[in-house]
Amino acid sequence: AYFVERKKRFCKMIPAPGRRFCGEHGQQEEENDRKRIPCPLDPKHTVYEDQLQKHLKKCNSREKPKPVYFVQDINAGSKDVAEIPEKQVPISSLSKEELENLIVKLKKASNGLELRLTEQILSHQALQEALNDPKNRESAFKHLKQQASILGNMEKLHLLGPGRCYVEFGAGRGKLSHWVDVALQDVENVQFLLVERATTRFKVDGKHKRRDSIFERLQVDIQHLCLNKVPILEKKKLPVVGIGKHLCGAATDLALRCLVESYTTCCDGEDEEPAPKRSRNDKTEVASNNSADNESNKEDCKPVAGIVIALCCHHKCDWTHYVGREFFKSVGLGPVEFHYFQRMSSWATCGMRETTTKASASEESENQTNDTEEYEQTFSKTESGSDTLQGILTVEERKEIGCLCKRLIDHGRIEYLQQRGYKAALQYYTESAVSLENVLLTAVPSPSLIPEPT
């Protein structure tokens, strides 16, 4: 009976017997002097003033005890770096000379890098039935094609097998882990850890009936996750495979650091010294050095068997968390250029503005990390929709520059992994018509670092 003005609908809560309104809106007909006040923990809901202390003990917004695997800022990166000036000039406010200077720096830094990615659009038998199901709508079909290709790439890298722990970062509903589990239906000793900082509705991991595989959710920000302290990994000591589908911006960097630094090196809650800068042709020596380090710490360290992450939302990257800072510095770039390049990266997905707007309006996001096209459409209106930019660059030029920014940021991640003894690569894992964010980052250790399946 109570109309909620903010939501433009009637309240859906069921009132108590004999009452017209629910407890939240019951003050409209209360005959006594009981007063409802905003909850100090979350002002979005109210509570009776005389029951405040009782409510604070059970409020869902109260601070909960930290889990054992929570280590403050363990994956955040070094903090003693040059800070970006507080007042950044929007790209649309840059002069023509300033914008041209940024583009020159971008092209100079990209010179000599391998920017043409190979296509690895694969599939997997585990999803064939779902892909052929006519009941699936177009949006579901697009997600299935991406998941099938991710699994196909994992199979090609020999990452689907027994005796492994699959850690899905930014898991959302857990669909990617679900299909990995389906692909491993006849495999024993498999563990799944689904990392998601927010509570998620309609999770699929709870529906699994297999007893051989174990699903466990870790509700924690990747920035504070120490895999070494996750009880199941301490107990079973399984090799880890890090996976993710559309892992937004800085979350990718946090996940990479979580896997190859805080986990492999046995975290102690302290930041490590950054790895020494090496030439791009010195990968063999790096791998051998990492191999020697791994052998010396073999009893303590639990290696990472592989990394497969579908990249997304480069405009949400952060210099503090970015793992490729050393690469940027080596080509004469710093936090200011990084800030502008990350913003310009959205141009890669806003070239065909009208088309993507219609597509994003009709496509339902699978989880909170898969709304890339819609987000970047809103973003593009403020950054690339100004008359100033349109007078300097055409839509196609902006799209080309945006792609170049993405590849430059991704190359920093590749060099970061290579310096730590990984064979890393980027490839297109699906068509742009399926997803504009169609680049997959894969990494496996050098042969001497590949763990033996248990």
Side-chain angles (χ1 to χ4, degrees):
Y2 185 84
F3 186 78
V4 185
E5 185 64 31
R6 181 173 61 88
K7 297 185 177 180
K8 304 297 181 184
R9 63 167 173 77
F10 286 94
C11 174
K12 295 182 180 180
M13 297 297 293
I14 300 176
R19 292 182 177 272
R20 187 184 178 196
F21 299 118
C22 68
E24 182 72 17
H25 305 124
Q27 70 270 27
Q28 302 294 323
E29 64 171 4
E30 285 291 333
E31 297 178 355
N32 54 32
D33 296 331
R34 297 182 72 190
K35 179 183 178 183
R36 293 186 71 90
I37 60 174
C39 173
L41 299 178
D42 182 5
K44 291 182 180 179
H45 66 274
T46 60
V47 62
Y48 284 116
E49 189 174 23
D50 57 2
Q51 292 184 342
L52 177 60
Q53 296 305 317
K54 180 180 178 181
H55 171 79
L56 292 178
K57 295 178 181 179
K58 62 181 181 179
C59 179
N60 289 333
S61 298
R62 71 188 185 280
E63 185 176 358
K64 300 175 179 64
K66 297 290 189 295
V68 293
Y69 45 79
F70 181 97
V71 178
Q72 185 72 35
D73 293 332
I74 186 171
N75 304 314
S78 178
K79 295 182 179 179
D80 52 346
V81 295
E83 294 293 332
I84 299 176
E86 293 184 3
K87 293 184 179 180
Q88 284 288 346
V89 179
I91 296 176
S92 56
S93 299
L94 293 175
S95 65
K96 181 178 180 180
E97 292 74 17
E98 290 172 325
L99 183 60
E100 288 176 346
N101 185 40
L102 278 174
I103 296 174
V104 168
K105 287 184 177 182
L106 173 66
K107 292 182 177 180
K108 183 179 179 181
S110 305
N111 188 30
L113 302 181
E114 183 57 51
L115 301 174
R116 292 186 179 182
L117 307 185
T118 59
E119 282 194 357
Q120 293 279 12
I121 303 176
L122 307 176
S123 189
H124 196 277
Q125 186 178 359
L127 289 94
Q128 288 309 306
E129 183 178 348
L131 286 168
N132 296 327
D133 189 350
K135 295 181 181 179
N136 285 322
R137 296 182 179 181
E138 183 182 359
S139 59
F141 183 69
K142 287 182 176 181
H143 287 301
L144 289 169
K145 287 192 70 174
Q146 295 176 67
Q147 290 153 349
S149 184
I150 291 174
L151 261 67
N153 278 276
M154 291 177 67
E155 186 175 50
K156 185 174 181 179
L157 295 170
H158 308 291
L159 295 178
L160 295 177
R164 301 195 187 282
C165 177
Y166 294 89
V167 182
E168 182 179 357
F169 294 94
R173 294 175 60 195
K175 276 290 189 71
L176 183 56
S177 291
H178 163 77
W179 289 116
V180 173
D181 182 61
V182 172
L184 298 173
Q185 56 183 346
D186 299 323
V187 176
E188 297 181 352
N189 195 19
V190 178
Q191 166 77 33
F192 291 90
L193 294 176
L194 281 67
V195 182
E196 179 61 63
R197 66 182 178 182
T199 55
T200 307
R201 301 176 66 192
F202 310 117
K203 297 184 286 289
V204 299
D205 43 296
K207 300 179 181 179
H208 290 269
K209 298 180 180 180
R210 285 185 54 216
R211 296 183 179 179
D212 295 336
S213 61
I214 303 173
F215 279 73
E216 181 180 346
R217 279 196 172 258
L218 307 180
Q219 188 175 339
V220 62
D221 194 310
I222 305 172
Q223 181 171 332
H224 313 301
L225 172 61
C226 179
L227 287 177
N228 282 339
K229 297 187 177 182
V230 176
I232 192 69
L233 289 178
E234 282 187 323
K235 180 180 178 181
K236 291 194 173 182
K237 295 180 171 59
L238 296 175
V240 162
V241 177
I243 60 177
K245 177 175 175 284
H246 288 175
L247 195 57
C248 264
T252 294
D253 299 299
L254 296 173
L256 293 179
R257 193 174 281 111
C258 176
L259 290 166
V260 305
E261 287 188 39
S262 66
Y263 182 60
T264 306
T265 57
C266 301
C267 65
D268 56 4
E270 298 177 359
D271 291 325
E272 288 189 330
E273 291 296 324
K277 185 164 56 178
R278 300 177 184 272
S279 65
R280 299 179 186 175
N281 298 324
D282 199 13
K283 299 173 186 175
T284 305
E285 182 183 349
V286 174
S288 61
N289 289 342
N290 276 274
S291 176
D293 294 339
N294 183 267
E295 288 297 321
S296 63
N297 297 324
K298 190 173 182 179
E299 294 182 358
D300 299 324
C301 294
K302 299 174 280 292
V304 174
I307 301 170
V308 180
I309 296 176
L311 303 174
C312 176
C313 297
H314 294 73
H315 60 271
K316 287 188 175 181
C317 289
D318 184 274
W319 175 257
T320 302
H321 304 318
Y322 181 51
V323 296
R325 292 196 303 255
E326 291 300 318
F327 162 70
F328 257 64
K329 293 176 182 177
S330 70
V331 292
L333 302 175
V336 175
E337 289 81 7
F338 178 84
H339 167 78
Y340 285 121
F341 291 164
Q342 65 156 122
R343 305 286 287 182
M344 291 158 65
S345 69
S346 67
W347 295 353
T349 52
C350 68
M352 297 178 292
R353 211 157 25 248
E354 294 181 359
T355 304
T356 53
T357 301
K358 294 177 182 178
S360 63
S362 62
E363 181 173 339
E364 296 179 2
S365 297
E366 182 187 16
N367 57 49
Q368 63 190 28
T369 61
N370 289 341
D371 56 356
T372 309
E373 289 88 348
E374 184 175 358
Y375 183 93
E376 295 202 0
Q377 275 311 118
T378 305
F379 182 87
S380 67
K381 291 177 183 177
T382 59
E383 288 295 359
S384 63
S386 68
D387 295 335
T388 305
L389 276 181
Q390 290 181 359
I392 300 174
L393 301 168
T394 65
V395 170
E396 285 302 318
E397 286 174 335
R398 289 202 302 274
K399 186 176 179 181
E400 181 182 351
I401 291 170
C403 289
L404 200 59
C405 290
K406 283 178 175 284
R407 297 295 75 81
L408 189 68
I409 293 173
D410 289 339
H411 187 82
R413 292 164 169 166
I414 294 295
E415 287 214 356
Y416 167 82
L417 291 168
Q418 288 174 344
Q419 288 178 357
R420 282 154 179 80
Y422 285 82
K423 182 181 179 182
L426 297 167
Q427 52 265 313
Y428 293 117
Y429 77 102
T430 192
E431 301 90 349
S432 58
V434 173
S435 175
L436 294 176
E437 297 283 16
N438 60 344
V439 175
L440 188 71
L441 169 66
T442 61
V444 292
S446 298
S448 59
L449 296 177
I450 296 178
E452 294 293 332
T454 58

